[in-house]
Amino acid sequence: MNSEWKSGAERPVMEGDLQYHIRCRRGDVNRYVLLPGDPARVEVIAQGWGSARFIADNREHRTWSGELEGVPVTACSTGMGGPSTSIAMEELAALGADTFIRVGSCGAIQEEVECGDLVICSGAMRQDGTSQDYIDLSYPAAASYEVTAALVESCERLNIRYHVGVSCTTASFYCGQARPGLKGYSQSSQAHKVEDLNRAGVMNFEMEAATVLTLAGIYGLRAGAVFAVVAHRLKDSFQYAGIDHSVRAANEALKVLASWDRAREAKGKPFWFPGLLA
């Protein structure tokens, strides 16, 4: 297999720009991309499209592409955490993707949020352990206002209960999110983390958004994120619910974005703004 990789070690690709990790080549990936963490969720997303075709399945990266009411779309799983997420984004963007929506699950840390609700991420705290390899931590992990507005629009259309706010992206599901490790292991710095973030209005814990948003900002791409709330840290409750809502909202948001892009392009504008719909 190694003999088939003709490029150098810095960025290994094969003929047709076949990407090393995601095993997709040019023509396989569309500009609008949904990024679930779980490979099994890719097929669930694709079931909501009018047409879909399997592209590749390598490591944690499973990819399908298709059409959603005439809009060319792609879904590619990232696996858990920043490192594999950054790999997926790097290789998808190299093939022409420019709009990304992370579709995940999370743990809420605000009282008004309930299990089964959705959280739309307006920005993320960069505790992901990966984005700092790209840029200093003072650089913001900010969601695209267009993608955020499209997600809000989609939830309103679908009558799905949602919240908008800042997420905390961590590199660890356990100690990084102030959960005890094995045999109750913890550090004193974790003791008040949930309380402190709650006081600051942070909505939730999750593990990939900061990586997605930071890379999008650096590379001039658009990105946002929507999460199904499956845990509530203040109430110590867990209910694996809302995943179907997050998938529906993300798919609907792609349709919204595509329609806004057409309106923007028709009037020769570089950015979408509400007046374009008048």
Side-chain angles (χ1 to χ4, degrees), residues 102-196:
R102 158 108 176 99
V103 189
S105 57
C106 72
I109 49 179
Q110 292 297 321
E111 287 283 355
E112 69 272 18
V113 182
E114 301 289 346
C115 287
D117 290 357
L118 299 187
V119 171
I120 297 170
C121 177
S122 61
M125 296 176 65
R126 292 174 52 200
Q127 298 179 10
D128 56 310
T130 296
S131 64
Q132 66 194 48
D133 287 342
Y134 283 81
I135 187 69
D136 183 84
L137 283 170
S138 61
Y139 185 93
S144 160
Y145 76 93
E146 294 176 328
V147 178
T148 302
L151 285 165
V152 170
E153 175 76 20
S154 70
C155 288
E156 290 287 345
R157 289 184 182 184
L158 298 170
N159 196 29
I160 295 172
R161 182 177 155 94
Y162 69 96
H163 311 267
V164 181
V166 173
S167 301
C168 179
T169 303
T170 66
S172 162
F173 179 81
Y174 290 99
C175 291
Q177 297 184 8
R179 290 183 173 93
L182 186 65
K183 299 179 180 179
Y185 174 83
S186 66
Q187 292 281 298
S188 59
S189 60
Q190 299 165 218
H192 300 289
K193 184 170 187 176
V194 173
E195 177 186 348
D196 290 345

Side-chain angles (χ1 to χ4, degrees), residues 162-236:
Y162 69 96
H163 311 267
V164 181
V166 173
S167 301
C168 179
T169 303
T170 66
S172 162
F173 179 81
Y174 290 99
C175 291
Q177 297 184 8
R179 290 183 173 93
L182 186 65
K183 299 179 180 179
Y185 174 83
S186 66
Q187 292 281 298
S188 59
S189 60
Q190 299 165 218
H192 300 289
K193 184 170 187 176
V194 173
E195 177 186 348
D196 290 345
L197 294 182
N198 167 266
R199 187 179 297 117
V202 176
M203 300 298 297
N204 61 304
F205 284 119
E206 61 84 51
M207 296 182 65
E208 291 82 26
T211 305
V212 171
L213 301 182
T214 301
L215 267 63
I218 291 170
Y219 292 149
L221 309 169
R222 295 187 300 185
V226 60
F227 316 105
V229 177
V230 300
H232 203 297
R233 300 299 304 282
L234 301 180
K235 302 173 184 177
D236 194 26

Side-chain angles (χ1 to χ4, degrees), residues 78-92:
T78 64
M80 289 189 288
S84 59
T85 298
S86 68
I87 288 170
M89 277 201 68
E90 286 274 5
E91 298 186 0
L92 290 162

Side-chain angles (χ1 to χ4, degrees), residues 1-6 14:
M1 185 66 178
N2 289 340
S3 62
E4 298 180 22
W5 297 93
K6 305 299 184 182
M14 290 179 67

Side-chain angles (χ1 to χ4, degrees), residues 31-97:
R31 68 173 297 195
Y32 301 103
V33 180
L34 298 183
L35 298 174
D38 183 358
R41 200 171 298 159
V42 176
E43 285 92 335
V44 175
I45 290 170
Q47 287 172 5
W49 303 344
S51 64
R53 63 188 179 99
F54 169 77
I55 301 295
D57 189 357
N58 187 55
R59 304 190 186 191
E60 57 268 82
H61 306 298
R62 185 174 300 167
T63 306
W64 283 63
S65 286
E67 285 197 0
L68 176 60
E69 295 189 7
V71 179
V73 293
T74 293
C76 177
S77 56
T78 64
M80 289 189 288
S84 59
T85 298
S86 68
I87 288 170
M89 277 201 68
E90 286 274 5
E91 298 186 0
L92 290 162
L95 295 176

Side-chain angles (χ1 to χ4, degrees), residues 253-272:
L254 292 187
K255 295 191 299 184
V256 172
L257 281 167
S259 69
W260 290 352
D261 287 344
R262 288 191 295 268
R264 173 180 56 79
E265 292 161 5
K267 296 189 178 180
K269 299 295 184 181
F271 301 103
W272 175 84

